[in-house]
Amino acid sequence: MDSADRWQRIDELFYAALDLEPQARPAFLQQACGVDIELLREVESLLDSSAQTLEYAREAVLQLAHQNLEPQPAGRQVGAYELLRIIGEGGMGTVYLAARADELYRQEVAIKLMRPGFGPSQGMLLRFSAERQILANLNHFNIARLLDGGMTADGLPYLVMEYVNGIAIDDYCRQNNLSVDHRLQIFRTVCAAVEYAHKSLVVHRDIKPANILVTTEGVPKLLDFGIAKLLNPQAGSLAPTRTLERAMTPEYASPEQLRGDQITTATDVYALGVLLYELLTGRRPFQLRTKSPLEVAQIICEQDPEPPSRVVTASPERGAQHAAARRLRGDLDNIVLMAMRKEASRRYTSVAALSADVQAYLTGYSVHAGADSWSYRGGKFVRRHRVAVSVAIVAVLALIGFSAGMGLLARRATEQRRIADEQRLAAQREADFLTGIFHASTPETAKGSEITARELLDQSAKRIDTELAITPEVQATLLFNLADAYEQLGLNDQAQPLLERAYSLRKKQFGDGSFVVATTADALAHAYRMGGHYAKAEVLFRQALQTAQKAPGDNTPAIAKMLSDLAFCLYSESQDAEAASQFRKSLVLNPKPDNGDGAITRSLLAQVLDRKGDLSGAWQLGNEAVEILERVEGPTFHLAIARHILAGVLRDMGNLLKAERLERQTLVLWRKVGGSHVDVAYSIDNLGVILLAEGGWKQAQPLLWEALSIRQKQFGAEHPLVGTSLLNWGRVLQAKGDYKGAEGYFRQALDMQRETIGPQSWRLENVLENFALLQLDRGDYPGAERYARQALEMSRRLGGEVHPDVATSLVDVALARELQGDAAGAEPLLRTALAVRKKLFSPGHPAIVAAQTRLGEALIEEGKPQLAEPILREAVNSAHHEPFPLLAWQVAAPEHALGVCLAKQGYAAEAETLLKNSRVPLNSYPEAAVRWWMLRHLQNL
Amino acid sequence: MPQDPQNVTLLLHQWRSGDDRALDALMPLVYGELRRLAARYLNAERPGHTMRATELVHEAYMRLVGAEVGWQDRAHFYAVAARLLRRILVEHARSQNRLKRGGGEERVPLDEAILVSREATSTVLSLDDALQRLAVLDLRKSEVVQLLFFGGLTYDETAVALDISPATVHRELKLAKAWLHRELAQSQT
């Protein structure tokens, strides 16, 4: 194959493979390539690269383009200065050489002119001046002074700085072939400058070789001090990817910068560590250029750098490097790595300390930095997964490491006095640190990492008691956050006891009117509810609300959320009326009802209304919620839930096909969002139920089995959700014809719902209803009637007279009566059912059509076809003009009934047409009783 | 200094007919205009977004060629501009590299040194090199990348310039990006 053909082939295979699911690709390629291993490898490597981005290349082109096409500045005036020429190009603006425009004296300065959009807005200019003052006061020989600043006529901010005629420090060291000692000395000078600034509470934030110029006399000068902070006062709160976009040298970005955490002097320590790494080895610690922002964040937060000594020996350069490597091994390695530790608190506590260690090395004294003795490097604990989860691991490791670190500190005799203070301070810092960290993990990102994170969490849980000598206050915080982390991993059982302890600790600490206690109670109640202990949860939710309402300050948003939590709990207990009212209260209280939280509350209220039978209300709210979430949040966890609920409403409205479509969409969304198994189970279960209702038990079977397995694995033996899944599985068996098997599962479900929720609940009613249908299928009509009447009574009690389930139960009882030969007794029940449905649904709704069909059939049985006819004609009419798509049997049933009705009255021709049209496979009818009726009347054809 | 439109049009047609020297003659004519116009657009740029080169290219086109010429020529002009920009940038990047080589080579007086991001320079060079190799394998894919990256065109504009559908542009881009990414990652030191 010549190269043109070969490329053609590669092209074909690439696109063909891309169209397949990832799992299907290897097999496809194997088959397509056969013996041509080269070709296979080629296409595979291209497929691997296909997910990558070339943004960095585009940015590079853009940067160069800017430089090239920018107009020459000669003669341009900025403030009191005249621009002479360009001397530098940065991400945020261009640096020019300039001179004072007046003739008084020729002072050369560097002017950094910001690109529009990167500089501060009008409002920030005030802060700008104040901060500028601080920076201008930084008077240090090794810091390029900030002289002035302002805004040009066209609104571009600029800064005037001391002009430094030098080259970047890494180039300087390389070009002059400096020895290791010499490099270390220059490094120490740089450290001195940074330390000086730290004493004035200024953090550089952007230390990198391009910002450290060395003059021909060998004097290093630091540039752009604190500039980043001037321009972005909330720089610490930037999202990680944003930070990276702005950072032209991501290799120097610290883990905390990427996480959006507090930037402290430790951030500069980290950057200095990277600088030292580069000065000693000639290389950056991480190779990041071709990586996407997320990969970069992952590498920086997770991956340990290769120790400098190993890098130097690996590079193919002159023999002198080997000598250098020997020097680097040991102490210098440790110094660099300690400065570069991922957790800020484990680095050198100050730049001075770092510099002192370098000095100690240079003069032969022992160095403080010790090699990492804990095995958290590489291998065992660190796995490739998304940043937010690894961040949680890092935090937990900090917890473990912290305690061991405290031990080390204790052993140093000279530090003894400071231990008590340090401990307390550090512990508080640690607690805050963890609080921030744990909130960064969400179900969206915890996929695939449960095992490792779990081990670590378990260890931490033990250590909170044993090793850390901390105040109960901090202990409660740690317990709380640890519980949160467990919850994120779906381990509710582990979280509960931790929350109980946190709650009791905080109650003791803060008393009854504290907001913190309220939120803790809310969290614990939430855990109870997740575990299916609804009654306990309800009590605690109410308590949490009470406490929150007593607490000082305006806690409205939190209270709105707690109301919503209580409402959902009530819903789980089938107390729908109060649930709806609490949800409504929550919505009213919510200051921003059109945000994510408000939308979810709406969605949950829709779910309640759905069950109450107010389907149009449910549809309206549910739809609103989905629209809001699509607009405000995009594809998220919340949206998946809202869509799932809406699918349920559609199902109950009878629009099965639309419900199916929506639920399938939701499943895809769950996968995208990384929903936990339990979350996804809701959708799988619902989809199965919808398919069963459509008559497709074969498709429903694997889904309902999966939902059951997931729930059993998650919740164990006793949980209402497991009960529901047992019931649904039983229904599959019933549809298959395995009545005995179905009964077994129904019985388990019945017992489980009674045990977990109590004697009255919708879930229980659901089981009874299905039991009735099962007995109908088996031919045990008296048994069916018994169950159906029980279901009817419970429906009436829970939902009132006008409720969809009441109508359904009435129909079931009527069917049972009819099959026992009492069509006359069935008739009034069916009339009531029809009346109820007419009140609940819009005219022509399939549920109304079904009730009309049943009533018509009963009237035929009673020998009154002429009474049946108008009813059935209406039914057939509706079925044909139904605004939303009906299944074949939904249309066929009334047609068939009308056909029989007409046949009985002697209208043979019309009857025949109808009966022919309504021939639908018998087993597409989901209900056996209907099938039975069909069978009986087939003889009449 | 407005150029004689007929001259430019003639050169364009000559180039389209396959005369590469016409491109060499075109470049200085076009370049001056582009440079002049660039300043306006770059100053109006929104942060973080790609330079709207087509705006300035379009204007340059109008001035140089006039409004009467049809779509085909305009699309072709875009292609020229993109190629031109690429050449300019690559030349510049190469000269940067020459300045940067340290250790043994002649010392460059500091006045001349322009502190450009080293990464950007070497990335552009690697990209150019890789694109040249891609052009041998698959000319159209390399042209798509050239128009998008160096011309700053949108997908639709690229489609017009190459006389293909936007869907094809997207499709071509997938493999092109994958291939380029792989090549660039390998060449990263």
Side-chain angles (χ1 to χ4, degrees), chain B residues 21-157:
Chain B
R21 289 168 307 162
L23 179 65
D24 287 333
L26 263 175
M27 286 231 315
L29 297 180
V30 176
Y31 182 54
E33 274 301 320
L34 281 177
R35 251 200 110 91
R36 226 180 44 72
L37 295 166
R40 280 175 47 198
Y41 292 97
L42 289 173
N43 279 336
E45 183 206 330
R46 290 160 296 147
H49 288 91
T50 350
M51 166 176 81
R52 293 292 289 125
T54 37
E55 283 159 6
L56 73 94
V57 165
H58 179 67
E59 230 192 275
Y61 179 79
M62 295 297 281
R63 293 163 107 40
L64 289 170
V65 181
E68 321 84 56
V69 191
W71 261 115
Q72 279 288 50
D73 287 313
R74 173 137 38 119
H76 219 66
F77 187 84
Y78 289 174
V80 173
R83 197 189 280 222
L84 177 65
L85 285 168
R86 177 178 165 187
R87 269 227 221 169
I88 296 171
L89 297 185
V90 170
E91 277 309 313
H92 185 82
R94 287 223 181 92
S95 66
Q96 286 305 304
N97 246 20
R98 263 178 265 126
L99 290 175
K100 282 303 195 177
R101 290 277 148 75
E105 291 190 13
E106 72 175 62
R107 286 283 196 83
V108 177
L110 287 171
D111 290 0
E112 305 295 328
I114 296 184
L115 293 174
V116 174
S117 159
R118 209 175 306 142
E119 284 88 358
T121 312
S122 87
T123 300
V124 170
L125 287 176
S126 306
L127 178 62
D128 178 65
D129 184 55
L131 267 179
Q132 283 183 34
R133 283 182 280 127
L134 180 61
V136 170
L137 281 175
D138 192 325
L139 183 62
R140 194 166 77 181
K141 288 187 173 63
S142 81
E143 285 185 332
V144 166
V145 176
Q146 179 169 264
L147 287 172
L148 288 171
F149 278 45
F150 289 94
L153 273 68
T154 63
Y155 292 112
D156 287 334
E157 289 160 346

Side-chain angles (χ1 to χ4, degrees), chain A residues 24-45:
Chain A
R25 287 176 198 161
F28 165 74
L29 286 175
Q30 276 289 2
Q31 213 201 15
C33 297
V35 282
D36 195 343
I37 306 280
E38 286 283 335
L39 180 62
L40 177 73
R41 288 224 186 92
E42 180 83 11
V43 179
E44 263 175 3
S45 79

Side-chain angles (χ1 to χ4, degrees), chain A residues 353-373:
Chain A
L354 165 58
S355 186
D357 247 9
V358 173
Q359 172 74 337
Y361 170 82
L362 281 171
T363 55
Y365 281 98
S366 67
V367 153
H368 279 181
D372 262 339
S373 51

